[in-house]
Amino acid sequence: MKTSINKRHLAGLLGLSLLLPLPALADYPEKPITLIVPWAAGGGTDATARTIAAALEEQLGQTVNVVNRTGGSGVVGHTAMAMAKPDGYTLGLITGEINMMHWQGLTQLTYEDYTPIAQINYDYAGIQVAADGPFDSVQTLVDQIKAEPARTYTASGTGQGGVWHLAFAGFLLDQGLEADRVSWIPSQGAAPAMTEMAAGSIDIVPSSVPEGRSMIEAGKARSLAIMAPERLDSFPDVPTLKEALGTDYTIGEWRGIAGPKGMDPAVVETLETAIEDAYNSDTYQNFMAKQGFGTEWRGAEDFGKLMAEQDERFGKIVEQVGLAK
């Protein structure tokens, strides 16, 4: 009799469990999502974030709020991403700087402190100068940097040790110059640096070419070359360094979406699928093509592998330019 009662109780409990609501995970997302951007509004990272956020809202049915958290050469925003609750409601538009900052002693954070979800962009570095400046080609730029005393010219586009800084320092080394031959002026991103250059305060902005588009189209800036294997379809008149100088030097910036370490795999899978659909949407692809930004997709696993590979590469560059600590 006792056994029979226990079986009846067990059956009742099982039946009751079927009526109980499923865990909140099954309904993810149930509220708006925050997407942290570690760089200033108006730059390439910000534009990419806001466009993918708009497309992602259509896929998830929830608002995706973009929040700029600038400062510390990208440390502030990346720290905010890593320190957030790993529940899928605070994500970040993580950038290649996470492969650079820890080598310079700016932070202890590395790519291993995040949950990779998807890579959505890759842009090669370009060399932008003021339209009324003294440089009419990248060869002229190199020649004048060599002819003038060290630190006669200034460059900007990100914080000290950021991707555009390291890209340009590596370019100088490639041309047989000291990595600090041109003074680097830290900024919160390419957009404010382009504004400063147009005002005459900075000589060179080695950012992606699309980040200089508005100034270029306004006749206030021009791009001398791009550090890419091939010319960009959106900027067909800008030569590669290979064409202009005969060098094979190439370098660029990746951007992707990640969350704090320890996210639930089911949430990651939901986000990865939604982000891939957003990435393939007309909203995202048309905007990126119009602006000239590079599109490159990697899912969570492959994105994690890319971050590991790039971390090793930039560690060597940081050491070469004398910024390793």
Side-chain angles (χ1 to χ4, degrees):
M1 183 68 177
K2 185 176 182 180
T3 301
S4 177
I5 292 174
N6 283 341
K7 287 181 179 179
R8 287 200 300 270
H9 277 220
L10 178 59
L13 289 171
L14 289 173
L16 179 61
S17 68
L18 295 175
L19 299 176
L20 292 175
L22 293 173
L25 176 60
D27 299 317
Y28 174 86
E30 295 183 300
K31 59 183 181 180
I33 294 170
T34 295
L35 183 64
I36 296 171
V37 176
W39 302 103
T45 303
D46 179 70
T48 300
R50 292 182 186 279
T51 306
I52 198 68
L56 190 56
E57 287 181 341
E58 299 175 14
Q59 302 300 323
L60 294 175
Q62 288 287 353
T63 301
V64 180
N65 297 308
V66 175
V67 177
N68 298 86
R69 295 289 300 275
T70 62
S73 297
V75 172
V76 172
H78 283 95
T79 299
M81 298 177 207
M83 298 300 292
K85 187 177 179 180
D87 57 3
Y89 289 102
T90 300
L91 307 173
L93 204 295
I94 193 169
T95 68
E97 275 76 11
I98 199 61
N99 291 149
M100 308 162 203
M101 299 183 294
H102 68 98
W103 294 113
Q104 301 167 59
L106 298 175
T107 178
Q108 293 184 348
L109 292 173
T110 73
Y111 69 94
E112 295 178 315
D113 292 300
Y114 302 87
T115 298
I117 302 173
Q119 179 195 352
I120 59 172
N121 164 253
Y122 191 95
D123 283 313
Y124 289 96
I127 301 176
Q128 282 65 246
V129 297
D132 59 357
F135 314 116
D136 58 7
S137 70
V138 71
Q139 183 67 68
T140 301
L141 175 77
V142 171
D143 290 344
Q144 291 198 217
I145 291 174
K146 287 181 177 180
E148 298 290 344
R151 289 173 287 284
T152 296
Y153 298 109
T154 56
S156 186
T158 186
Q160 180 83 10
V163 63
W164 304 138
H165 179 203
L166 294 180
F168 192 64
F171 166 68
L172 293 176
L173 288 171
D174 179 75
Q175 293 301 303
L177 293 160
E178 309 96 297
D180 61 348
R181 182 83 177 191
V182 174
S183 294
W184 188 262
I185 309 300
S187 71
Q188 295 301 330
M194 290 295 296
T195 300
E196 288 295 317
M197 186 178 72
S201 301
I202 294 169
D203 300 305
I204 309 159
V205 177
S207 67
S208 69
V209 184
E211 289 178 294
R213 175 185 285 276
S214 61
M215 289 295 181
I216 292 171
E217 291 181 344
K220 296 181 179 180
R222 62 172 173 262
S223 187
L224 301 180
I226 185 168
M227 304 179 195
E230 300 176 350
R231 294 193 184 201
L232 297 179
D233 291 340
S234 51
F235 296 92
D237 296 331
V238 179
T240 65
L241 288 182
K242 178 73 171 181
E243 293 173 307
L245 299 175
T247 176
D248 291 320
Y249 180 76
T250 63
I251 198 167
E253 164 84 311
W254 58 258
R255 299 179 178 96
I257 295 180
K261 185 177 180 179
M263 288 179 62
D264 190 304
V267 171
V268 174
E269 184 178 356
T270 296
L271 284 167
E272 181 183 6
T273 299
I275 294 168
E276 184 171 14
D277 289 340
Y279 171 89
N280 289 320
S281 70
D282 290 342
T283 299
Y284 186 73
Q285 291 294 328
N286 290 347
F287 175 84
M288 298 296 276
K290 181 179 179 181
Q291 297 301 316
F293 291 122
T295 53
E296 190 166 322
W297 169 263
R298 282 183 175 84
E301 183 177 356
D302 289 338
F303 184 28
K305 291 178 181 178
L306 173 76
M307 287 197 285
E309 293 167 359
Q310 291 293 298
D311 196 76
E312 181 177 358
R313 182 190 185 196
F314 275 101
K316 294 177 181 178
I317 295 176
V318 169
E319 185 174 1
Q320 284 181 315
V321 301
L323 292 174
K325 292 182 180 179

Short mmCIF file of all heavy atoms in Angstrom, two decimals, residues 156-191:
data_model
loop_
_atom_site.label_atom_id
_atom_site.label_comp_id
_atom_site.label_asym_id
_atom_site.label_seq_id
_atom_site.Cartn_x
_atom_site.Cartn_y
_atom_site.Cartn_z
N SER A 156 46.78 60.26 -35.36
CA SER A 156 45.80 59.88 -34.34
C SER A 156 44.73 59.00 -34.98
O SER A 156 44.74 58.78 -36.19
CB SER A 156 45.17 61.14 -33.71
OG SER A 156 44.33 60.78 -32.64
N GLY A 157 43.81 58.51 -34.16
CA GLY A 157 42.74 57.66 -34.67
C GLY A 157 42.21 56.68 -33.65
O GLY A 157 41.16 56.07 -33.83
N THR A 158 42.94 56.53 -32.55
CA THR A 158 42.53 55.66 -31.46
C THR A 158 43.43 55.99 -30.27
O THR A 158 44.22 56.92 -30.33
CB THR A 158 42.67 54.17 -31.85
OG1 THR A 158 42.13 53.35 -30.81
CG2 THR A 158 44.11 53.79 -32.09
N GLY A 159 43.31 55.22 -29.20
CA GLY A 159 44.16 55.46 -28.05
C GLY A 159 45.57 54.94 -28.28
O GLY A 159 45.86 54.27 -29.27
N GLN A 160 46.46 55.26 -27.35
CA GLN A 160 47.83 54.78 -27.41
C GLN A 160 47.82 53.25 -27.40
O GLN A 160 47.22 52.62 -26.54
CB GLN A 160 48.61 55.29 -26.20
CG GLN A 160 50.06 54.86 -26.14
CD GLN A 160 50.97 55.74 -26.98
OE1 GLN A 160 50.55 56.78 -27.47
NE2 GLN A 160 52.22 55.33 -27.13
N GLY A 161 48.47 52.65 -28.40
CA GLY A 161 48.52 51.20 -28.46
C GLY A 161 47.28 50.56 -29.05
O GLY A 161 47.16 49.33 -29.06
N GLY A 162 46.34 51.37 -29.58
CA GLY A 162 45.15 50.84 -30.24
C GLY A 162 45.50 50.32 -31.62
O GLY A 162 46.62 50.47 -32.12
N VAL A 163 44.51 49.73 -32.29
CA VAL A 163 44.79 49.05 -33.55
C VAL A 163 45.37 49.98 -34.61
O VAL A 163 46.32 49.63 -35.31
CB VAL A 163 43.53 48.34 -34.09
CG1 VAL A 163 42.41 49.32 -34.40
CG2 VAL A 163 43.88 47.50 -35.33
N TRP A 164 44.80 51.20 -34.75
CA TRP A 164 45.30 52.08 -35.80
C TRP A 164 46.69 52.62 -35.45
O TRP A 164 47.50 52.88 -36.33
CB TRP A 164 44.33 53.23 -36.05
CG TRP A 164 42.93 52.79 -36.40
CD1 TRP A 164 41.76 53.33 -35.93
CD2 TRP A 164 42.53 51.73 -37.29
NE1 TRP A 164 40.68 52.67 -36.47
CE2 TRP A 164 41.12 51.68 -37.31
CE3 TRP A 164 43.23 50.82 -38.07
CZ2 TRP A 164 40.40 50.77 -38.07
CZ3 TRP A 164 42.52 49.89 -38.83
CH2 TRP A 164 41.13 49.87 -38.83
N HIS A 165 46.96 52.78 -34.14
CA HIS A 165 48.30 53.18 -33.72
C HIS A 165 49.31 52.08 -34.08
O HIS A 165 50.35 52.34 -34.69
CB HIS A 165 48.32 53.45 -32.22
CG HIS A 165 49.67 53.84 -31.70
ND1 HIS A 165 50.04 53.69 -30.38
CD2 HIS A 165 50.78 54.34 -32.33
CE1 HIS A 165 51.29 54.09 -30.22
NE2 HIS A 165 51.76 54.50 -31.39
N LEU A 166 48.99 50.84 -33.70
CA LEU A 166 49.91 49.74 -33.97
C LEU A 166 50.04 49.48 -35.47
O LEU A 166 51.12 49.13 -35.95
CB LEU A 166 49.43 48.47 -33.26
CG LEU A 166 49.47 48.52 -31.73
CD1 LEU A 166 48.99 47.21 -31.14
CD2 LEU A 166 50.87 48.86 -31.22
N ALA A 167 48.93 49.65 -36.20
CA ALA A 167 48.99 49.47 -37.65
C ALA A 167 49.96 50.46 -38.27
O ALA A 167 50.77 50.10 -39.15
CB ALA A 167 47.59 49.65 -38.24
N PHE A 168 49.90 51.72 -37.82
CA PHE A 168 50.75 52.76 -38.39
C PHE A 168 52.20 52.60 -37.91
O PHE A 168 53.14 52.78 -38.70
CB PHE A 168 50.23 54.15 -38.01
CG PHE A 168 50.88 55.27 -38.78
CD1 PHE A 168 50.73 55.37 -40.16
CD2 PHE A 168 51.66 56.21 -38.14
CE1 PHE A 168 51.34 56.38 -40.88
CE2 PHE A 168 52.27 57.25 -38.86
CZ PHE A 168 52.11 57.32 -40.23
N ALA A 169 52.38 52.23 -36.65
CA ALA A 169 53.73 51.99 -36.13
C ALA A 169 54.38 50.84 -36.89
O ALA A 169 55.57 50.90 -37.25
CB ALA A 169 53.68 51.69 -34.64
N GLY A 170 53.60 49.79 -37.15
CA GLY A 170 54.11 48.67 -37.93
C GLY A 170 54.46 49.09 -39.34
O GLY A 170 55.44 48.61 -39.93
N PHE A 171 53.67 49.98 -39.91
CA PHE A 171 53.94 50.51 -41.25
C PHE A 171 55.26 51.28 -41.27
O PHE A 171 56.07 51.12 -42.20
CB PHE A 171 52.79 51.41 -41.69
CG PHE A 171 53.09 52.26 -42.90
CD1 PHE A 171 53.24 51.69 -44.15
CD2 PHE A 171 53.22 53.64 -42.76
CE1 PHE A 171 53.53 52.48 -45.26
CE2 PHE A 171 53.51 54.44 -43.87
CZ PHE A 171 53.67 53.85 -45.12
N LEU A 172 55.48 52.10 -40.26
CA LEU A 172 56.74 52.86 -40.19
C LEU A 172 57.93 51.92 -40.09
O LEU A 172 58.95 52.12 -40.77
CB LEU A 172 56.71 53.81 -38.99
CG LEU A 172 55.70 54.97 -39.06
CD1 LEU A 172 55.70 55.76 -37.75
CD2 LEU A 172 55.98 55.89 -40.24
N LEU A 173 57.79 50.87 -39.26
CA LEU A 173 58.86 49.88 -39.16
C LEU A 173 59.10 49.20 -40.50
O LEU A 173 60.25 48.96 -40.90
CB LEU A 173 58.50 48.84 -38.09
CG LEU A 173 58.54 49.29 -36.64
CD1 LEU A 173 57.93 48.22 -35.74
CD2 LEU A 173 59.97 49.59 -36.20
N ASP A 174 58.02 48.90 -41.20
CA ASP A 174 58.11 48.26 -42.51
C ASP A 174 58.87 49.13 -43.50
O ASP A 174 59.54 48.62 -44.40
CB ASP A 174 56.70 47.98 -43.03
CG ASP A 174 56.71 47.33 -44.41
OD1 ASP A 174 57.01 46.12 -44.47
OD2 ASP A 174 56.43 48.03 -45.40
N GLN A 175 58.79 50.46 -43.31
CA GLN A 175 59.46 51.41 -44.21
C GLN A 175 60.86 51.80 -43.71
O GLN A 175 61.47 52.74 -44.22
CB GLN A 175 58.60 52.65 -44.38
CG GLN A 175 57.30 52.40 -45.12
CD GLN A 175 57.54 51.85 -46.52
OE1 GLN A 175 58.22 52.46 -47.33
NE2 GLN A 175 57.00 50.66 -46.80
N GLY A 176 61.34 51.08 -42.71
CA GLY A 176 62.69 51.32 -42.22
C GLY A 176 62.81 52.51 -41.29
O GLY A 176 63.91 53.05 -41.08
N LEU A 177 61.68 52.92 -40.71
CA LEU A 177 61.66 54.06 -39.79
C LEU A 177 61.41 53.59 -38.36
O LEU A 177 60.94 52.47 -38.13
CB LEU A 177 60.56 55.04 -40.20
CG LEU A 177 60.78 55.76 -41.53
CD1 LEU A 177 59.46 56.30 -42.07
CD2 LEU A 177 61.80 56.89 -41.36
N GLU A 178 61.71 54.45 -37.40
CA GLU A 178 61.40 54.13 -36.02
C GLU A 178 59.89 54.11 -35.82
O GLU A 178 59.16 54.88 -36.44
CB GLU A 178 62.02 55.15 -35.06
CG GLU A 178 63.51 55.41 -35.29
CD GLU A 178 63.75 56.62 -36.16
OE1 GLU A 178 63.32 56.59 -37.34
OE2 GLU A 178 64.34 57.59 -35.67
N ALA A 179 59.42 53.26 -34.93
CA ALA A 179 57.97 53.12 -34.70
C ALA A 179 57.37 54.41 -34.16
O ALA A 179 56.19 54.70 -34.38
CB ALA A 179 57.70 51.98 -33.73
N ASP A 180 58.19 55.23 -33.48
CA ASP A 180 57.69 56.49 -32.91
C ASP A 180 58.18 57.70 -33.69
O ASP A 180 58.23 58.81 -33.16
CB ASP A 180 58.10 56.61 -31.43
CG ASP A 180 59.61 56.63 -31.24
OD1 ASP A 180 60.35 56.33 -32.21
OD2 ASP A 180 60.05 56.93 -30.11
N ARG A 181 58.53 57.51 -34.93
CA ARG A 181 59.03 58.62 -35.76
C ARG A 181 57.97 59.71 -35.91
O ARG A 181 58.28 60.91 -36.02
CB ARG A 181 59.39 58.09 -37.15
CG ARG A 181 59.98 59.13 -38.10
CD ARG A 181 61.44 59.33 -37.87
NE ARG A 181 62.03 60.27 -38.81
CZ ARG A 181 63.33 60.45 -38.95
NH1 ARG A 181 64.18 59.74 -38.21
NH2 ARG A 181 63.81 61.32 -39.81
N VAL A 182 56.69 59.29 -35.91
CA VAL A 182 55.56 60.23 -35.94
C VAL A 182 54.91 60.22 -34.57
O VAL A 182 54.66 59.15 -34.00
CB VAL A 182 54.54 59.81 -37.02
CG1 VAL A 182 53.29 60.68 -36.95
CG2 VAL A 182 55.18 59.88 -38.40
N SER A 183 54.67 61.38 -34.00
CA SER A 183 54.05 61.46 -32.67
C SER A 183 52.61 60.98 -32.71
O SER A 183 51.83 61.42 -33.58
CB SER A 183 54.09 62.91 -32.16
OG SER A 183 55.41 63.33 -31.94
N TRP A 184 52.26 60.09 -31.78
CA TRP A 184 50.89 59.60 -31.72
C TRP A 184 50.10 60.39 -30.69
O TRP A 184 50.51 60.51 -29.54
CB TRP A 184 50.85 58.11 -31.35
CG TRP A 184 49.44 57.58 -31.47
CD1 TRP A 184 48.54 57.41 -30.46
CD2 TRP A 184 48.78 57.22 -32.68
NE1 TRP A 184 47.35 56.96 -30.97
CE2 TRP A 184 47.47 56.82 -32.33
CE3 TRP A 184 49.17 57.18 -34.03
CZ2 TRP A 184 46.54 56.40 -33.28
CZ3 TRP A 184 48.24 56.75 -34.96
CH2 TRP A 184 46.94 56.37 -34.58
N ILE A 185 48.96 60.96 -31.11
CA ILE A 185 48.08 61.73 -30.23
C ILE A 185 46.87 60.85 -29.90
O ILE A 185 46.05 60.60 -30.78
CB ILE A 185 47.61 63.04 -30.90
CG1 ILE A 185 48.80 63.82 -31.46
CG2 ILE A 185 46.81 63.87 -29.92
CD1 ILE A 185 49.82 64.22 -30.43
N PRO A 186 46.74 60.36 -28.68
CA PRO A 186 45.60 59.50 -28.34
C PRO A 186 44.27 60.20 -28.54
O PRO A 186 44.14 61.41 -28.30
CB PRO A 186 45.83 59.18 -26.85
CG PRO A 186 47.29 59.40 -26.63
CD PRO A 186 47.65 60.55 -27.53
N SER A 187 43.27 59.44 -29.02
CA SER A 187 41.92 59.98 -29.19
C SER A 187 40.92 58.89 -28.86
O SER A 187 41.28 57.73 -28.67
CB SER A 187 41.70 60.47 -30.62
OG SER A 187 41.61 59.38 -31.51
N GLN A 188 39.65 59.26 -28.80
CA GLN A 188 38.60 58.30 -28.48
C GLN A 188 38.06 57.58 -29.72
O GLN A 188 37.06 56.88 -29.64
CB GLN A 188 37.45 59.01 -27.76
CG GLN A 188 37.83 59.57 -26.39
CD GLN A 188 38.32 58.50 -25.43
OE1 GLN A 188 37.91 57.35 -25.51
NE2 GLN A 188 39.21 58.87 -24.53
N GLY A 189 38.73 57.74 -30.84
CA GLY A 189 38.29 57.04 -32.04
C GLY A 189 38.64 57.81 -33.30
O GLY A 189 39.16 58.93 -33.26
N ALA A 190 38.32 57.22 -34.45
CA ALA A 190 38.66 57.81 -35.73
C ALA A 190 37.86 59.07 -36.03
O ALA A 190 38.38 60.02 -36.63
CB ALA A 190 38.47 56.79 -36.85
N ALA A 191 36.58 59.09 -35.63
CA ALA A 191 35.73 60.24 -35.95
C ALA A 191 36.28 61.54 -35.36
O ALA A 191 36.45 62.53 -36.08
CB ALA A 191 34.31 59.98 -35.49
#
